[in-house]
Amino acid sequence: MWTSLEPAAITVDPGAVASVRLRIRNTGDTVEEYRLRPAGDAAGWTRVEPDVLRLYPGAEGTAEVTFAPPRTPDAVAGPTPFGIRVEPAEHPEIRDVVEGQVTVGPFTELRCELVPLTVQGRWRAKAAVAVDNLGNQPLTVSLSGRENGDALTVEAEPSSVQVAPGRAAFARLQIRPGTVSWFGGTNKHPFTVSALRAGVPDPTELRGTYLQLSVLPRWAMVLCSLLLAAALAFVALWFNAQPTVNSSAKDKPGPVGRPIEPPKKPAPPAPSEKPSESAAPEEPAEPEKEEPAGGDEGQNQGPKEQTIRDAADGGWYLQVNGGGQEDGTQVGQNPKWTGDEFGRNQWWIIHHYPEDNTVALEAAGAPGRVVDVKGDTNEVQIEAVSPENLESGELPPNQKWRLEDAADGRNRIINMQNNECLTDMQNDKGAITWGCTDGPFDRQDWKISDGQ
């Protein structure tokens, strides 16, 4: 057979359509049927029509190869090789792959989000900027904080992030007030974070609010004023109204008479003829021993498997990503219930330690491994612990959590090391811990139940 691709290279923009012609000639001496199939990285958005050519000896046929890359990060910008596999039905040993090149045009789509929009603190506060690259080429984004006047200092760390197509990057924000508020309640300070994409003059601006709390609340100032006023009043009354005591009692002379004689000692009693026998000392009665309570009441039936779901977007399931069992496997979230597909990776065993009112979260799909915060980060993973420590609760603070009631059947899950709440970021990066927000916050509120 003889094949030709016209043209061999083509350019197409995401969301558009382009096509080339594939010519095939039967140079044999028998009727042949040729099956045409796309191959390579572009096969997902490549179509061949018709996909079967039946040619007589010496005949030539034409098929149209159409490219329709989607406007998503899946169609990466730049040249991409493609191939059309030609498979003769009668003579499969002469099959061939016709190769060409399609160049996908670039497009850019950036989404930035400030999490949370409102933060509070007395000395400082933390927030984060999530940068999502929805385009098909890598992006570099510079972050800078801007405040109104000298009331705040907003610093981004890192100040610049590089994001691959279809990925997200995060930067921490450190927010510090210019002066400390000792009295006066809560002060509200708006601030702005600018996200500037390389090659674009206009930045994307994210606006947030910092609530600065006073060191001493207003009621404490009123109480101190009242106590000070009461103390001053008491001192004034003490020095100005100290009472004096005058007594009119006088010594009165008593009657003259004989001196009073001291009483005589009584004579000892006469001994009796038959002395009475001394009574034997009574022995103290032995206390009755209490019988121990019997039965099987109060025995620990052991922890049970439960599911943990957040309150955002219908409830995402907390899971061990991919059902992994190795130390350091990332703990993430999934909007779907996977059942036993990944080895019960969405079931959890919650161990309670009443002595310090904490819990440990053991993965049911990875026995003996509990949820902890990775060192020097706020990423959540699983790590193996010994059965004795898991039973006694002798675990490091980054592996212990506190459940805090958030009303309506919700709970906050707070790490004992950094005192931050378990937070669902709802992306492929996994769960993290972040500073707890006031009031209901769906990404930090979790529902613990015995089933789906």
Side-chain angles (χ1 to χ4, degrees), residues 134-347:
L134 305 180
N136 66 347
Q137 59 180 341
L139 294 179
T140 300
V141 179
S142 300
L143 301 172
S144 60
R146 186 173 75 252
E147 60 281 350
N148 298 329
D150 298 331
L152 293 178
T153 299
V154 182
E155 298 179 354
E157 183 182 356
S159 60
S160 178
V161 293
Q162 293 184 348
V163 193
R167 297 293 181 179
F170 297 87
R172 288 176 173 265
L173 292 180
Q174 296 285 349
I175 305 171
R176 297 182 178 87
T179 58
V180 178
S181 176
W182 295 99
F183 304 99
T186 302
N187 298 322
K188 184 182 294 185
H189 302 288
F191 65 91
T192 304
V193 178
S194 298
L196 181 60
R197 195 177 72 218
V200 177
D202 298 326
T204 301
E205 294 190 343
L206 308 175
R207 303 186 185 277
T209 303
Y210 171 63
L211 301 179
Q212 184 181 7
L213 305 178
S214 298
V215 177
L216 296 177
R218 185 171 300 172
W219 64 265
M221 182 175 60
V222 174
L223 180 60
C224 291
S225 301
L226 294 176
L227 291 176
L228 180 60
L232 293 176
F234 177 77
V235 171
L237 291 174
W238 175 263
F239 287 103
N240 294 333
Q242 185 174 7
T244 58
V245 180
N246 295 322
S247 177
S248 60
K250 297 181 179 179
D251 294 338
K252 185 176 181 180
V256 178
R258 294 190 319 176
I260 301 175
E261 296 180 357
K264 297 181 179 180
K265 294 182 180 181
S272 59
E273 295 180 358
K274 294 182 179 180
S276 60
E277 296 179 0
S278 60
E282 296 181 359
E283 296 181 359
E286 295 183 358
E288 296 181 1
K289 297 182 178 180
E290 295 182 0
E291 293 293 333
D296 296 332
E297 297 181 359
Q299 290 184 355
N300 185 11
Q301 300 298 327
K304 57 185 177 181
E305 296 182 358
Q306 296 176 295
T307 57
I308 302 175
R309 303 177 65 183
D310 67 7
D313 297 337
W316 288 42
Y317 292 88
L318 192 69
Q319 67 175 17
V320 180
N321 287 350
Q325 296 184 346
E326 300 296 329
D327 290 350
T329 301
Q330 194 176 52
V331 174
Q333 55 281 317
N334 194 327
K336 298 180 180 179
W337 174 254
T338 59
D340 293 334
E341 181 180 356
F342 298 104
R344 302 180 66 78
N345 68 320
Q346 293 179 340
W347 289 93

Side-chain angles (χ1 to χ4, degrees), residues 14-77:
V17 177
S19 60
V20 299
R21 289 193 311 163
L22 174 62
R23 296 170 56 195
I24 301 176
R25 182 184 303 159
N26 183 0
T27 59
D29 55 3
T30 60
V31 177
E32 186 63 86
E33 184 178 84
Y34 301 93
R35 297 182 179 88
L36 310 178
R37 301 288 185 273
D41 295 338
W45 35 272
T46 303
R47 187 175 67 253
V48 183
E49 291 184 357
D51 57 357
V52 175
L53 289 176
R54 185 177 178 85
L55 301 177
Y56 288 95
E60 182 178 310
T62 303
E64 185 174 6
V65 182
T66 303
F67 304 96
R71 193 175 178 82
T72 65
D74 296 331
V76 181

Side-chain angles (χ1 to χ4, degrees), residues 300-306 308 347-371 383 385-395 399-403 413-414 416 448:
N300 185 11
Q301 300 298 327
K304 57 185 177 181
E305 296 182 358
Q306 296 176 295
I308 302 175
W347 289 93
W348 301 91
I349 299 174
I350 302 179
H351 298 266
H352 292 262
Y353 307 113
E355 57 272 8
D356 57 358
N357 195 24
T358 60
V359 299
L361 307 178
E362 180 185 10
R369 285 168 169 81
V370 299
V371 177
E383 192 76 19
V385 298
S386 65
E388 295 80 6
N389 291 351
L390 182 60
E391 181 178 358
S392 64
E394 295 182 359
L395 301 172
Q399 294 180 346
K400 300 185 76 174
W401 306 79
R402 183 177 76 254
L403 299 181
I413 304 177
I414 305 173
M416 298 301 293
I448 301 174

Side-chain angles (χ1 to χ4, degrees), residues 85-116:
R85 185 179 291 110
V86 183
E87 299 179 347
E90 299 297 331
H91 299 85
E93 69 277 1
I94 64 170
R95 62 182 179 271
D96 191 15
V97 176
V98 183
E99 296 181 348
Q101 179 175 284
V102 55
T103 301
V104 180
F107 81 96
T108 302
E109 185 173 348
L110 181 67
R111 181 175 64 189
C112 300
E113 183 179 3
L114 180 63
V115 182

